[in-house]
Amino acid sequence: QQPKPYLIGYNQDKNTDQTKKLHKDMKKSTEADIAMSKAAVKISGDLLSNPLCEQDQAFLDSMTALDTAMKRMDSFNQEKVNQISKTVIDPLKKYSGVFPSLNMAVKRREQALQDYRRLQSKVEKYEEKEKTGPIMVKLHQAREELRPVREDFEAKNKQLLDEMPKFYHSRIDYFQPSFEALIRAQVVYFTEMHKIFSELTDQIDQAGMTDEQRERENEAKLNELRALSIVADD
């Protein structure tokens, strides 16, 4: 009797690809976060070194407050990224490391199945022939050769049938703490950002103007500059 293949219904290649993609996207996200905060610090530093700061105390005070806020933001952002690396990115990488061993176990089981089928076909071939003395000897030898191969396949197959569902269903339990930690890291970061930028607004937004009012004021100032004779028309 031919062995039943007992095909495992879990697509490990898909799981591997999705885990690797998630790991890659998380790394890209944190790298972008770091680049953003570093760029903000660079901009505030450039503004603080602007010659206008030497000429206008109010502008100097505003740029100093902005620079301090950007550095605080960068510090909290680095803490957030470090936390995400420990609780999300590193666990994803470790989880991906399980797949090579798992895939190897599946391949060993498939090889054992092929050997089993090959020897089983050999036994069936002798069983179909006329029962002469030599044929019966060969049949006995083929059955003896088949027995350990069958046992090996059944052991490997049973191991996968027992352990693969456990592995498959453990994914949520494994990832849940990581994503909870990701949410907490984001909550802490954005709570601090709200504090930082609220304080910054109180320091530099004394006029309390709306964005529309600021836009109109900037346009008016620009029109004054355009009216100067030293400014060429577009």
Side-chain angles (χ1 to χ4, degrees), residues 159-174:
Q159 182 184 34
L160 283 179
L161 288 173
D162 289 343
E163 297 184 4
M164 285 284 279
K166 295 177 183 178
F167 176 82
Y168 184 79
H169 293 297
S170 69
R171 295 175 304 164
I172 294 178
D173 291 338
Y174 183 85

Side-chain angles (χ1 to χ4, degrees), residues 83-97:
Q83 184 68 16
I84 291 174
S85 295
K86 293 177 183 178
T87 59
V88 182
I89 296 177
D90 289 348
L92 281 170
K93 184 177 181 180
K94 292 176 181 178
Y95 188 79
S96 296

Side-chain angles (χ1 to χ4, degrees), residues 15-207:
N15 286 334
T16 303
D17 292 342
Q18 289 177 340
T19 303
K20 287 182 177 180
K21 184 177 185 302
L22 185 58
H23 177 262
K24 181 179 179 181
D25 289 344
M26 286 301 306
K27 285 192 67 176
K28 287 173 63 177
S29 175
T30 53
E31 289 168 359
D33 281 349
I34 292 174
M36 179 276 297
S37 63
K38 296 299 182 187
V41 171
K42 178 67 167 56
I43 291 171
S44 65
D46 291 343
L47 289 171
L48 189 58
S49 63
N50 192 293
L52 285 175
C53 289
E54 300 175 3
Q55 305 168 18
D56 190 308
Q57 185 61 43
F59 187 74
L60 174 61
D61 292 342
S62 295
M63 293 305 100
T64 300
L66 176 64
D67 187 60
T68 300
M70 294 303 99
K71 289 177 178 177
R72 289 177 64 194
M73 178 187 72
D74 184 50
S75 177
F76 280 113
N77 186 60
Q78 188 61 58
E79 290 182 13
K80 178 193 69 174
V81 168
N82 290 340
Q83 184 68 16
I84 291 174
S85 295
K86 293 177 183 178
T87 59
V88 182
I89 296 177
D90 289 348
L92 281 170
K93 184 177 181 180
K94 292 176 181 178
Y95 188 79
S96 296
V98 175
F99 288 115
S101 298
L102 187 62
N103 290 334
M104 184 59 66
V106 173
K107 289 179 180 178
R108 287 196 295 264
R109 177 257 187 205
E110 291 304 313
Q111 182 59 52
L113 175 60
Q114 292 178 21
D115 293 340
Y116 185 0
R117 283 175 167 168
R118 176 177 55 81
L119 292 173
Q120 180 66 36
S121 296
K122 184 177 180 181
V123 169
E124 291 174 354
K125 181 182 70 173
Y126 288 125
E127 287 177 339
E128 293 172 357
K129 291 187 176 183
E130 183 180 355
K131 300 300 187 289
T132 64
I135 292 299
M136 294 302 294
V137 171
K138 290 181 180 180
L139 176 59
H140 176 73
Q141 292 175 341
R143 285 173 175 171
E144 287 299 306
E145 187 178 0
L146 172 64
R147 181 171 52 79
V149 174
R150 180 182 64 243
E151 292 173 353
D152 180 59
F153 164 74
E154 290 177 347
K156 288 183 170 62
N157 192 65
K158 183 178 184 302
Q159 182 184 34
L160 283 179
L161 288 173
D162 289 343
E163 297 184 4
M164 285 284 279
K166 295 177 183 178
F167 176 82
Y168 184 79
H169 293 297
S170 69
R171 295 175 304 164
I172 294 178
D173 291 338
Y174 183 85
F175 286 121
Q176 185 70 22
S178 291
F179 293 119
E180 289 176 357
L182 173 62
I183 293 171
R184 285 196 299 270
Q186 298 284 8
V187 168
V188 170
Y189 173 74
F190 285 109
T191 298
E192 293 299 332
M193 290 308 98
H194 182 268
K195 295 178 183 177
I196 290 172
F197 284 97
S198 293
E199 293 172 4
L200 180 60
T201 299
D202 292 339
Q203 289 176 281
I204 69 175
D205 193 27
Q206 298 177 358

Side-chain angles (χ1 to χ4, degrees), residues 197-226:
F197 284 97
S198 293
E199 293 172 4
L200 180 60
T201 299
D202 292 339
Q203 289 176 281
I204 69 175
D205 193 27
Q206 298 177 358
M209 299 174 63
T210 65
D211 290 341
E212 290 77 10
Q213 289 172 328
R214 294 183 188 282
E215 185 177 356
R216 287 196 295 269
E217 182 181 19
N218 287 339
E219 188 62 30
K221 296 292 184 183
L222 186 58
N223 287 334
E224 291 179 12
L225 294 175
R226 288 171 177 159

